[in-house]
Amino acid sequence: MQDLTKIQSFLAHVHPYDSLTDAELAILAGQVQVVTQAAGEKIYTLGEPCRGVYVIVSGEVEITDETGAQISQLGSRNSFGERGLARDGVAVTNARAASDTDMLLVPAEVFHELVDVHPAIAKFFNRSRGAETRKTDLATARISELMTRQVLGITADATIQRAAHLMHAKKVSSLAVLEGGRLVGIVTVRDMARVVSEGLANDAPVSEVMMARKIISLPPDALGSDVLHTMLERRIGHLPITDKGTLVGIVTQTDLIRFQALSSAQLVHDIVYADTPAGIAAVTKRLPELLAQLVGAGNPHEVVTRLITDIADAATRRLLALAEEKLGPPPVPYLWLACGSQGRQEQTGVSDQDNCLILDDAMTPEMDGYFKALASFVCDGLNAAGYVYCPGDMMATADRWRQPLRVWKQYFQGWIAQPDTEAQMLASVMFDLRPIGGEDSLFANLQDETLAAASANSIFVTHMIANSLKHTPPLGMFRGFATIRSGEHKNALDLKHNGVVPVVDLGRIYALRGRLTAVNTRARLLAARDEKVISSSGAADLLDAYDLIAETRLQHQARQVRAGEAPDNFMSPTTLSDFERSHLRDAFVVIRTMQSAAGSGRGGLA
């Protein structure tokens, strides 16, 4: 990748560099260095001077610590090396090419200048470093993030045989022993071993082998360090968690190991080495747990959703690779793109799939059988992995969304020229496209040409603005909320369609007006501020409102996951304090104000 135009196009689709203007990207493209490493070659070693920040174009890079233990396995569009620049320019990890790898090196002095001048880039790298530290910091994690909540119990007078049968059937290593609903002991597999070694009768009560009645427990607001110290000092592997005498969970050594091992990098690694769609689905089942852990660690919403989306990206690319292994090489180049929340890198615990295929113009009708089979393989695999089929059939399996580049150009030209209701809806979805796997060049010119044509058509822009105002904040009378009136979610707030989506729509309009290439909503708002599409004060208010609503939504989903429930977007305002409700309503008021400004043509400048 020596061509500066190709480098600029690549960086324009990599966060956080996508927050830069075209002119800034052109300058950066001339400053970066192209680095190629063969499989197995070291990139840098812990303690050596760090040359800068690397961005992976193709291939894979393995990051390890001082013991050689793998920290992460990184793929295309991932950045690494910034932690060394934060510590006197010395690498704090080891990096080597896990396969033949092409990278761009942002030299240290250029990187520092970017961080100093661009808040979006500074925020991304500062918070990414913080998140990487926090998410694996067992010592400072709350027990509520570690413990297993579904604890199996048995009465003290139950037989040893009954206890052993229950532990075997449920595949657990311990049972809570209860008397009148209160915890009086713990029986573990170690205690079962005593039964055999000491020749105890199987029909003896479990109270004869359980741990002492004076049970050691901790409250749910204790820290991971409290668990570690207690287990070490007492030489125990199971620690019950009680709240005012009531058993609410248990922490085992397995829980501690799982917490340490769970990270987005580990999940990506496991996906990369999965051999089947079922293997990928087994990995993505751990996503709710990862979401709850990331939220509990205090990570900002844009970090959580970026890391969650990285899993979907990795699953998609792995499914594409498996499809090619099954079907053979593609007859012409193609590009798989995501739209919706995956396209914007804003996935949470609830996500369906929205995707499409752009094919090279050399494609002929008889080749479509290959790409139809490829699309079915990938979409079926994503559905099995928890990314359910799009209810609106916005997927590459639909003939309409699997077309040569020339047809896609016709689509956008038609939507812009005749902005009817369907055109507005489709354009809104397709303006959030982001390349995932394949030939990136198939999209670069399409995005630039479409933005230029769309922004120049005042009628189209007006229709898009009107369409974006259909989702309104849930504001009721007398400083209250307008909750859902009936049905399954009666009296709840829809934090997606009435909270996050209105800001997403505004961000898309600002990007259209300013011809901004960023797709992520927060990046769009920052770019709109920097390009004076909206005022600094309007941007600051809208960013604060968006952050509050998005983080409230994630906290709601994390609470559901911890309670063993499937996460959703419907939250009862009664779960919030008066203080939290007041601030949430203020955030909705800001959004309505910015919608009014956009609708009047002021765009938030007034």
Side-chain angles (χ1 to χ4, degrees):
M1 187 185 281
Q2 299 291 342
D3 189 323
L4 293 184
T5 302
K6 288 185 177 180
I7 293 175
Q8 180 179 344
S9 175
F10 175 78
L11 289 172
H13 297 98
V14 178
H15 193 62
Y17 310 104
D18 57 6
S19 64
L20 300 176
T21 65
D22 290 342
E24 290 167 336
L25 281 170
I27 293 172
L28 179 59
Q31 294 173 318
V32 301
Q33 301 169 20
V34 178
V35 178
T36 299
Q37 303 272 185
E41 288 184 348
K42 79 164 188 175
I43 300 168
Y44 57 70
T45 302
L46 187 148
E48 291 182 349
C50 193
R51 298 171 58 195
V53 173
Y54 295 82
V55 186
I56 303 173
V57 177
S58 63
E60 294 177 343
V61 172
E62 181 185 54
I63 308 296
T64 58
D65 63 16
E66 66 274 10
T67 68
Q70 186 181 81
I71 297 173
S72 59
Q73 184 98 0
L74 306 176
S76 177
R77 294 185 175 85
N78 284 137
S79 295
F80 65 96
E82 75 278 5
R83 291 178 62 201
L85 296 182
R87 300 191 183 185
D88 301 323
V90 175
V92 296
T93 56
N94 305 299
R96 74 172 187 89
S99 63
D100 292 347
T101 303
D102 291 324
M103 298 170 287
L104 299 177
L105 172 63
V106 183
E109 61 275 12
V110 175
F111 175 75
H112 287 306
E113 183 177 349
L114 287 171
V115 169
D116 290 341
V117 174
H118 298 282
I121 293 179
K123 187 171 188 179
F124 174 81
F125 283 107
N126 287 338
R127 287 191 170 182
S128 293
R129 282 196 298 272
E132 191 69 25
T133 300
R134 284 192 298 270
K135 70 187 179 188
T136 57
D137 191 353
L138 176 61
T140 58
R142 294 285 181 185
I143 285 182
S144 57
E145 307 298 324
L146 304 172
M147 69 185 188
T148 299
R149 294 175 181 271
Q150 306 299 323
V151 185
L152 287 177
I154 195 168
T155 59
D157 58 358
T159 65
I160 291 172
Q161 184 177 32
R162 170 62 182 159
H165 175 77
L166 188 59
M167 292 170 73
H168 176 73
K170 299 297 184 179
K171 294 181 173 60
V172 296
S173 60
S174 64
L175 295 172
V177 183
L178 307 170
E179 272 188 3
R182 295 189 66 81
L183 180 70
V184 296
I186 294 286
V187 60
T188 70
V189 289
R190 183 180 296 180
D191 298 321
M192 292 295 107
R194 281 180 49 217
V195 173
V196 177
S197 64
E198 297 179 11
L200 297 176
N202 287 343
D203 57 358
V206 75
S207 57
E208 291 190 12
V209 294
M210 71 181 187
M211 295 170 63
R213 285 176 175 263
K214 188 178 180 181
I215 273 295
I216 301 163
S217 67
L218 290 175
D221 60 352
L223 299 178
S225 57
D226 298 322
V227 175
L228 290 168
H229 297 163
T230 302
M231 284 185 170
L232 288 170
E233 291 177 13
R234 305 287 180 169
R235 297 184 180 181
I236 55 177
H238 300 75
L239 187 61
I241 309 303
T242 58
D243 187 5
K244 298 178 181 178
T246 301
L247 180 69
V248 294
I250 191 167
V251 178
T252 68
Q253 289 178 339
T254 302
D255 293 324
L256 302 184
I257 294 170
R258 184 171 58 244
F259 182 88
Q260 286 286 68
L262 185 63
S263 69
S264 63
Q266 183 61 52
L267 265 60
V268 168
H269 172 271
D270 293 347
I271 287 171
V272 166
Y273 287 96
D275 294 325
T276 63
I280 294 172
V283 178
T284 56
K285 283 182 179 179
R286 295 148 63 188
L287 267 174
E289 187 181 352
L290 175 64
L291 180 139
Q293 180 172 311
L294 291 170
V295 174
N299 293 294
H301 70 91
E302 67 268 28
V303 170
V304 176
T305 54
R306 169 64 189 274
L307 294 174
I308 294 296
T309 305
D310 284 349
I311 309 302
D313 291 356
T316 305
R317 284 191 284 268
R318 184 58 182 148
L319 286 166
L320 286 169
L322 292 174
E324 289 190 23
E325 288 179 13
K326 178 182 178 181
L327 301 172
V332 294
Y334 70 86
L335 179 62
W336 185 282
L337 304 97
C339 46
S341 59
Q342 184 183 0
R344 297 189 305 273
Q345 296 181 302
E346 293 167 4
Q347 287 190 314
T348 66
V350 189
S351 296
D352 59 5
Q353 56 175 293
D354 299 282
N355 46 62
C356 64
L357 268 173
I358 298 179
L359 309 175
D360 189 276
D361 281 338
M363 184 250 188
T364 58
E366 60 268 20
M367 296 177 184
D368 186 56
Y370 176 94
F371 291 109
K372 186 173 184 178
L374 179 138
S376 295
F377 184 93
V378 175
C379 289
D380 289 347
L382 289 172
N383 182 68
Y387 306 100
V388 297
Y389 297 123
C390 173
D393 203 26
M394 188 73 70
M395 297 181 296
T397 47
D399 293 346
R400 188 179 187 183
W401 308 127
R402 188 181 65 254
Q403 292 292 333
L405 177 60
R406 63 179 180 275
V407 176
W408 279 99
K409 290 182 177 180
Q410 293 169 7
Y411 284 163
F412 279 101
Q413 289 167 0
W415 295 334
I416 294 167
Q418 295 182 316
D420 56 23
T421 302
E422 183 189 37
Q424 295 166 32
M425 183 275 290
L426 294 176
S428 294
V429 173
M430 293 303 174
F431 274 125
D432 292 349
L433 284 175
R434 182 172 61 87
I436 302 297
E439 180 52 58
D440 284 356
S441 63
L442 289 171
F443 180 66
N445 291 336
L446 175 63
Q447 183 186 38
D448 294 340
E449 292 171 5
T450 301
L451 278 174
S455 61
N457 188 321
S458 59
I459 296 176
F460 176 77
V461 173
T462 300
H463 279 279
M464 286 290 288
I465 292 173
N467 185 64
S468 73
L469 302 180
K470 291 179 179 179
H471 295 102
T472 57
L475 291 169
M477 298 178 64
F478 309 114
R479 292 197 57 78
F481 293 111
T483 57
I484 298 171
R485 295 182 178 180
S486 61
E488 180 185 358
H489 304 295
K490 183 179 180 180
N491 297 327
L493 296 172
D494 186 341
L495 292 175
K496 177 182 178 181
H497 290 103
N498 299 118
V500 171
V501 169
V503 186
V504 171
D505 290 341
L506 284 171
R508 190 182 297 114
I509 293 302
Y510 299 151
L512 179 58
R513 282 180 162 172
R515 301 186 185 184
L516 309 173
T517 57
V519 176
N520 175 266
T521 298
R522 212 173 190 285
R524 280 172 166 169
L525 298 181
L526 290 168
R529 178 201 63 191
D530 294 343
E531 294 299 312
K532 304 296 189 293
V533 177
I534 53 176
S535 65
S536 295
S537 60
D541 288 344
L542 189 54
L543 281 164
D544 286 345
Y546 179 52
D547 289 345
L548 178 62
I549 296 167
E551 290 184 4
T552 299
R553 178 191 184 197
L554 284 178
Q555 289 162 2
H556 163 70
Q557 292 186 1
R559 283 194 298 270
Q560 291 179 305
V561 171
R562 295 184 198 112
E565 303 169 1
D568 61 29
N569 295 300
F570 304 99
M571 183 193 73
S572 170
T574 59
T575 62
L576 302 175
S577 67
D578 290 343
F579 180 84
E580 290 170 325
R581 283 198 295 271
S582 176
H583 280 274
L584 184 60
R585 192 181 189 283
D586 289 343
F588 290 142
V589 170
V590 167
I591 295 172
R592 175 170 288 182
T593 302
M594 297 298 286
Q595 285 183 323
S596 298
S600 66
R602 290 179 287 119
L605 289 170

